[in-house]
Amino acid sequence: MIISMYDLYKKLRKRHRVYLVQTLLVHTLNKWSDSYCYFSKFIGLFFIGFCLVVACHDSGNYQNSTSHKSQRSDRVTIGTTLKLQNIDPAATYGWAGINVIYNLSNTLYANKLGRAKLEPQLATEMPEISENNLLYKIPLRKGVTFHDGTPFNAEAMKFSLERFIKNGGKPSFLLSELVESVEATGEYELSIKLKQPFSGFTAILAFPGTCAVSPKAYEIGKEKFNPKIFVGTGPYKLAEYNTDSIRLDVFEDYWGEKPANKGVDMQIYADNPANLFNSFRTHAVDIAYRTLEPEQIKSLQKGSARGDWQGIEASGTSLSYMVLNLRQEPLNKLEVRQAIAALVKRSSIVQRVFQNQVEPVYSLLPTVFNAYKPVFEEAYGDGDYDRAKELLKKAGYSAENPAIVEIWYPAGSKTYELVAVTLRALADKELDGALVFEIESVDTATAASNLSKGVYPSFLLEWYPDFLDPDNYIQPFLDCDRGSEVTGCKEGAAQSLGSFFYSDRANKLIDAQRQERDPEARHKILAELQDILAREIPYIPLWQNKDFVFAHNGLEGITTNPSQYLPFWTIRK
């Protein structure tokens, strides 16, 4: 049976009707380009207008639709391409879920907006730490209630942290590897005992997954998760959860300052940057955040420069790097690793591949940390080709006997493919044939399994921090539990990432900075660790991301964070 477009429209539920119209609109806009004549655009606009008239002409629902539109006018709509699969704080480990949890919840500590600096949130003061650095006493805020009316106290916070640990979700290791016990030592006092000292522990307590959740809404038990509900203490409460949209309403009994808006609606364009891009341009969403293609960002940046809308950008904290396998020839020779470090011209990668939408980085620490030290720039410059040729010659390589290095990258990543091609082009052009890069790709799942086995000579990877502390960029790369200077790392972080780096000195320094509570003393230790990184070169840092938010004019209070979570409550219409 043939069904007309209007009959199909009538059969769809209201929410899906709107989606149908929006899809038609986006489809038409996608056909436009700067080369079309104005007449084509007029025809397109006429078609869109006709669809909108049809969509709105429903005598039974016209009044309700008008009322809903006016009701939404003081709400903020945010578009994203990232899929939302889970908002249980003990289970989710992806940015989309964590960002929603960040806006629905409170943690004991949080980073100040726009800064990588901790301040109390559900705690009232920074923790009192015992002399042996193992016991943390934390005073808690009074007068806080959960979204379901349950009072917040130390027992509720204990329940929340123990659930995070015991339910065994993906992020549970953040606490399970460190925490020995959690106790309510008073109605509003929490005591946490660690298995070993860790100076970055307070930063982990700012990870959104460690937030307080209502004991009445959740339970402790292996994999007992509630992926589509959330009952916390934050400025918003969850009003609606769908696979393609999320609705957050203001929590009227919130203990802190109320949000500057009347609620937030998130529209999810799963893995479809074109839909997000066009939905923003047509005002279907107020804000576009995560993730757009480089050409789309460039186009929106031009629009913001004209004043058509706002463009906000800030340094991010995810970092891309090349891991070098120290056990494979020719990378087992220090001079070859040094030559590659000298060859890398980050400014070329930033301009050619990313159109200046990322920033060069010269250490495994991103620039947001005061401890950042540009050790690779200091040691190797940025594209020192003469030095690279000298190092290769010293190692015995030439055009007749080239050093051949495979560069692997995740299959399907156009970005990493272009980076690999750029590095190969630099070597071919500048090093007289003494270094040859061969480019290979592999699916992500296979790569994750094979990296620790030493399969790949080199690999292009990205690192997303679990929490904002320098340790999270040092220990996971350089630490080794078992190995030697001769055999390399046989078990530990460096082995799991495929570099097999081992340094007794680095291991001792990692332990020392984990126990050091004095910031200046810790910075000195971190500086030496970065010096070791540049001297031994198990990894070559390449770039760090930038965070982009595009918002229509008339919105205020949009704040980007080093944590890369977008706070909704500061946004005003």
Side-chain angles (χ1 to χ4, degrees):
M1 181 177 66
I2 298 174
I3 301 177
S4 70
M5 181 62 74
Y6 184 72
D7 289 336
L8 175 61
Y9 163 78
K10 293 288 286 182
K11 288 176 179 289
L12 292 174
R13 294 174 59 187
K14 180 179 175 182
R15 183 166 60 87
H16 295 134
R17 294 175 190 170
V18 174
Y19 181 77
L20 172 63
V21 174
Q22 187 182 62
T23 301
L24 290 169
L25 185 150
V26 169
H27 176 77
T28 302
L29 283 174
N30 279 334
K31 298 296 183 182
W32 288 359
S33 70
D34 294 336
S35 62
Y36 278 155
C37 66
Y38 287 106
F39 177 75
S40 297
K41 292 185 179 181
F42 172 79
I43 295 298
L45 283 169
F46 177 82
F47 173 71
I48 293 168
F50 173 78
C51 289
L52 289 172
V53 168
V54 171
C56 291
H57 186 70
D58 185 336
S59 59
N61 290 314
Y62 178 79
Q63 187 173 354
N64 290 338
S65 298
T66 306
S67 174
H68 185 61
K69 182 178 179 181
S70 64
Q71 186 180 6
R72 288 168 53 93
S73 63
D74 53 0
R75 296 176 64 87
V76 175
T77 56
I78 300 174
T80 183
T81 65
L82 300 182
K83 295 178 182 177
L84 189 66
Q85 298 175 330
N86 195 320
I87 55 170
D88 189 317
T92 191
Y93 202 35
W95 180 88
I98 290 294
N99 194 67
V100 173
I101 292 169
Y102 173 69
N103 283 280
L104 288 168
S105 71
N106 297 130
T107 45
L108 288 168
Y109 300 96
N111 284 287
K112 290 186 176 181
L113 293 183
R115 300 176 62 187
K117 184 175 177 60
L118 292 171
E119 62 182 358
Q121 194 172 68
L122 285 178
T124 57
E125 296 177 9
M126 299 305 288
E128 177 187 329
I129 307 173
S130 63
E131 289 187 9
N132 64 4
N133 293 332
L134 292 176
L135 185 63
Y136 285 61
K137 285 190 176 182
I138 302 172
L140 302 181
R141 189 177 296 278
K142 300 177 182 178
V144 177
T145 58
F146 289 98
H147 298 154
D148 62 359
T150 304
F152 168 80
N153 54 27
E155 286 291 346
M157 195 69 235
K158 174 188 175 182
F159 168 87
S160 302
L161 296 180
E162 288 187 339
R163 181 177 184 272
F164 182 88
I165 295 169
K166 295 178 179 179
N167 283 34
K170 287 184 178 180
S172 63
F173 75 94
L174 291 172
L175 292 183
S176 63
E177 293 180 358
L178 286 169
V179 174
E180 182 175 306
S181 64
V182 181
E183 299 295 337
T185 47
E187 187 176 2
Y188 293 100
E189 182 185 84
L190 194 72
S191 293
I192 303 175
K193 187 177 181 180
L194 303 187
K195 297 175 183 177
Q196 63 268 343
F198 180 38
S199 56
F201 178 67
T202 309
I204 295 179
L205 297 178
F207 175 68
T210 66
C211 65
V213 294
S214 171
K216 289 186 178 179
Y218 299 88
E219 60 181 320
I220 294 176
K222 188 69 173 177
E223 297 184 357
K224 290 187 176 180
F225 301 124
N226 294 324
K228 295 186 178 181
I229 73 162
F230 189 89
V231 184
T233 62
Y236 296 98
K237 58 184 180 181
L238 183 65
E240 186 178 346
Y241 182 112
N242 299 298
T243 56
D244 60 354
S245 64
I246 290 283
R247 182 179 174 90
L248 310 182
D249 288 345
V250 173
F251 179 38
E252 295 299 335
D253 294 327
Y254 183 54
W255 59 268
E257 185 176 349
K258 297 290 192 303
N261 52 67
K262 297 299 183 182
V264 173
D265 298 317
M266 292 187 68
Q267 185 64 47
I268 301 167
Y269 305 93
D271 300 325
N272 197 329
N275 276 4
L276 174 60
F277 177 66
N278 287 319
S279 293
F280 176 76
R281 291 194 306 170
T282 58
H283 290 257
V285 294
D286 298 317
I287 295 172
Y289 185 57
R290 295 283 190 102
T291 300
L292 294 162
E293 299 291 347
E295 285 296 333
Q296 294 166 342
I297 293 174
K298 185 177 180 180
S299 174
L300 293 179
Q301 285 176 322
K302 289 179 179 179
S304 66
R306 293 192 301 266
D308 297 343
W309 44 70
Q310 304 174 65
I312 302 104
E313 68 178 67
S315 296
T317 49
S318 69
L319 185 141
S320 291
Y321 62 96
M322 176 189 285
V323 57
L324 304 179
N325 186 340
L326 276 57
R327 298 198 310 191
Q328 283 204 24
E329 293 185 355
L331 295 172
N332 58 346
K333 294 184 178 182
L334 177 61
E335 293 87 356
V336 175
R337 303 197 301 274
Q338 290 175 325
I340 296 173
L343 168 71
V344 172
K345 191 174 181 64
R346 290 164 182 78
S347 56
S348 293
I349 294 173
V350 167
Q351 292 169 11
R352 295 177 187 177
V353 179
F354 295 99
Q355 303 180 58
N356 295 312
Q357 293 170 18
V358 299
E359 297 176 295
V361 68
Y362 297 91
S363 176
L364 284 177
L365 288 185
T367 58
V368 297
F369 292 113
N370 293 332
Y372 169 76
K373 185 178 180 182
V375 287
F376 275 79
E377 186 177 35
E378 294 171 356
Y380 307 104
D382 191 54
D384 190 340
Y385 309 128
D386 290 336
R387 186 176 179 195
K389 286 187 284 190
E390 290 175 5
L391 287 162
L392 289 167
K393 183 178 180 181
K394 182 179 178 181
Y397 295 104
S398 62
E400 295 74 28
N401 178 39
I404 301 174
V405 177
E406 293 178 358
I407 299 179
W408 288 75
Y409 68 91
S413 173
K414 192 67 177 177
T415 295
Y416 282 116
E417 181 184 4
L418 289 173
V419 171
V421 168
T422 300
L423 291 173
R424 182 176 63 185
L426 284 173
D428 292 346
K429 180 182 177 183
E430 305 293 348
L431 300 185
D432 302 330
L435 174 63
V436 176
F437 284 131
E438 296 180 347
I439 300 174
E440 304 284 351
S441 66
V442 64
D443 67 272
T444 304
T446 303
S449 173
N450 286 339
L451 271 170
S452 62
K453 299 174 184 176
V455 172
Y456 311 111
S458 73
F459 211 104
L460 295 172
L461 293 167
E462 184 170 19
W463 179 257
Y464 285 92
D466 298 311
F467 53 95
L468 277 183
D469 184 84
D471 179 85
N472 202 224
Y473 295 85
I474 295 292
Q475 187 276 337
F477 292 87
L478 302 180
D479 194 37
C480 184
D481 299 328
R482 184 171 64 88
S484 70
E485 304 280 357
V486 177
T487 64
C489 184
K490 291 187 173 182
E491 184 179 333
Q495 174 258 341
S496 66
L497 284 183
S499 73
F500 301 93
F501 168 76
Y502 181 89
S503 166
D504 188 59
R505 177 62 178 167
N507 286 339
K508 290 178 180 177
L509 289 172
I510 289 169
D511 289 341
Q513 63 85 24
R514 285 192 146 208
Q515 298 185 52
E516 183 57 64
R517 288 162 58 179
D518 179 70
E520 291 187 13
R522 192 179 184 216
H523 282 183
K524 290 179 181 179
I525 300 171
L526 291 167
E528 186 177 348
L529 280 163
Q530 291 172 87
D531 290 336
I532 291 173
L533 168 70
R535 185 167 64 245
E536 300 297 332
I537 321 177
Y539 312 92
I540 299 178
L542 298 172
W543 71 88
Q544 66 184 38
N545 74 315
K546 285 185 181 179
D547 213 17
F548 293 94
V549 185
F550 294 97
H552 285 292
N553 295 327
L555 276 77
E556 300 176 348
I558 300 167
T559 303
T560 57
N561 278 319
S563 64
Q564 298 186 245
Y565 307 134
L566 180 67
F568 299 163
W569 62 87
T570 62
I571 303 171
R572 297 183 299 276
K573 284 189 88 168

